[in-house]
Amino acid sequence: MASITFTHVKKQYGNARAGVQVIHDLTAQVEDGEFVVIVGPSGCGKSTLLRMVAGLEEISDGTIAIGDKIVNGLEPAERDIAMVFQNYALYPHMSVFDNMAYGLKIAKMPETEIRARVDKVAAILELAPYLDRKPRALSGGQRQRVAMGRAIVRQPKVFLFDEPLSNLDAKLRAHTRLEIQKLHRDLGITSLFVTHDQVEAMTLAQRMIVLNAGVVEQFGTPKEVYQRP
Ligand code: ADP
Ligand code: ADP
């Protein structure tokens, strides 16, 4: 596990002369093991912020640290992070087990260790009965859990969620939300979760960042944010 420290982070798209500043001098610290939800209007920079932590987008200025390691310039694979998107792509021809094990096999982890990790995560996510199935034989919610499982087996220090529930129907969204809550209770992985859904924010967040036009407007518990005078 690890904290995430943003120090005077700036992001602009395009070049210095014709660029658009999207994140303005953002400084904030997410504590080790904390679940922080990022909310704000469309286009305020939520995805950009997450993608900079992930290494999918360059940091224009300032630093982002995971634990005590500054990650500017590191490849995504070097950052001990895992990311879950709204459009999760599972390998259709592989079983649930193989989908979850894929990254570990690529990393040449011993077979017994892979088995142990996948079994443990499958138990937490209630996927144990489905390990031999192909993704097409699963419900949407189960597939989303496989996508999360695939990320978790790598034992990342930081979990990044980019609106992972927004393609699910209301019932599944509520269910998967509870799964994510349970997952965080069980594993305590430092998490950043982007959403524009207020219910998700209130139920999942230990603290929330309210972003507006690339500036942190508020950073506090849901109670502090929603009960502001
Ligand atoms: P959010 O996730 O809050 O909706 P984004 O981080 O996706 O916001 O986008 C923030 C701003 O940056 C928006 O104005 C968006 O149009 C712009 N933007 C995002 N990605 C790019 C890009 N690759 N090139 C140029 N502008 C971008
Ligand atoms: P979201 O559903 O997260 O709001 P968007 O439709 O804003 O997604 O963006 C989808 C993709 O397009 C992202 O990869 C983003 O970086 C890119 N993008 C967004 N705005 C721009 C832009 N103005 N110029 C170039 N790319 C952009």
Side-chain angles (χ1 to χ4, degrees):
M1 288 203 290
S3 56
I4 309 169
T5 310
F6 300 91
T7 308
H8 299 298
V9 172
K10 296 177 189 164
K11 175 66 184 178
Q12 69 173 32
Y13 288 107
N15 61 38
R17 223 148 32 94
V20 183
Q21 186 95 16
V22 173
I23 298 290
H24 302 268
D25 198 15
L26 188 148
T27 294
Q29 174 144 344
V30 174
E31 304 297 341
D32 190 14
E34 203 176 16
F35 199 109
V36 169
V37 176
I38 304 172
V39 298
S42 183
C44 72
K46 302 184 293 295
S47 280
T48 298
L49 196 59
L50 212 62
R51 291 165 62 84
M52 285 195 288
V53 178
L56 301 173
E57 205 64 76
E58 236 175 87
I59 302 161
S60 303
D61 199 10
T63 58
I64 297 177
I66 296 178
D68 53 16
K69 187 161 85 179
I70 290 178
V71 297
N72 294 44
L74 290 186
E75 293 296 322
E78 299 170 318
R79 296 188 178 204
D80 293 323
I81 55 104
M83 191 150 172
V84 177
F85 302 88
Q86 62 181 255
N87 297 311
Y88 47 89
L90 300 177
Y91 300 108
H93 58 288
M94 288 186 197
S95 67
V96 168
F97 180 91
D98 287 337
N99 265 284
M100 286 170 66
Y102 186 73
L104 304 181
K105 283 186 179 160
I106 295 288
K108 299 206 162 50
M109 184 176 285
E111 198 67 38
T112 49
E113 169 80 10
I114 294 178
R115 183 90 235 174
R117 283 206 194 181
V118 172
D119 282 346
K120 181 178 169 216
V121 171
I124 293 171
L125 290 172
E126 294 171 25
L127 288 169
Y130 312 114
L131 285 174
D132 293 328
R133 288 200 193 173
K134 298 282 167 59
R136 67 169 173 277
L138 300 178
S139 70
Q142 288 166 340
R143 281 183 214 156
Q144 179 59 286
R145 299 214 297 280
V146 176
M148 285 195 276
R150 181 176 58 182
I152 298 158
V153 293
R154 290 166 45 215
Q155 300 183 347
K157 289 189 179 145
V158 166
F159 223 150
L160 305 171
F161 297 90
D162 197 356
E163 305 207 22
L165 309 182
S166 56
N167 278 354
L168 305 177
D169 67 40
K171 200 171 151 209
L172 264 180
R173 204 180 309 141
H175 184 76
T176 310
R177 201 175 69 223
L178 293 176
E179 295 284 342
I180 291 173
Q181 236 172 354
K182 176 167 176 288
L183 203 61
H184 186 255
R185 263 204 314 272
D186 288 356
L187 301 176
I189 301 173
T190 311
S191 301
L192 282 181
F193 186 104
V194 165
T195 185
H196 54 252
D197 183 310
Q198 195 168 323
V199 176
E200 276 174 29
M202 285 196 318
T203 50
L204 287 170
Q206 288 174 327
R207 283 195 298 164
M208 44 198 293
I209 292 175
V210 181
L211 206 59
N212 196 0
V215 172
V216 175
E217 235 177 31
Q218 297 180 71
F219 190 9
T221 63
K223 209 172 162 190
E224 288 164 351
V225 167
Y226 288 116
Q227 296 187 352
R228 226 162 56 114

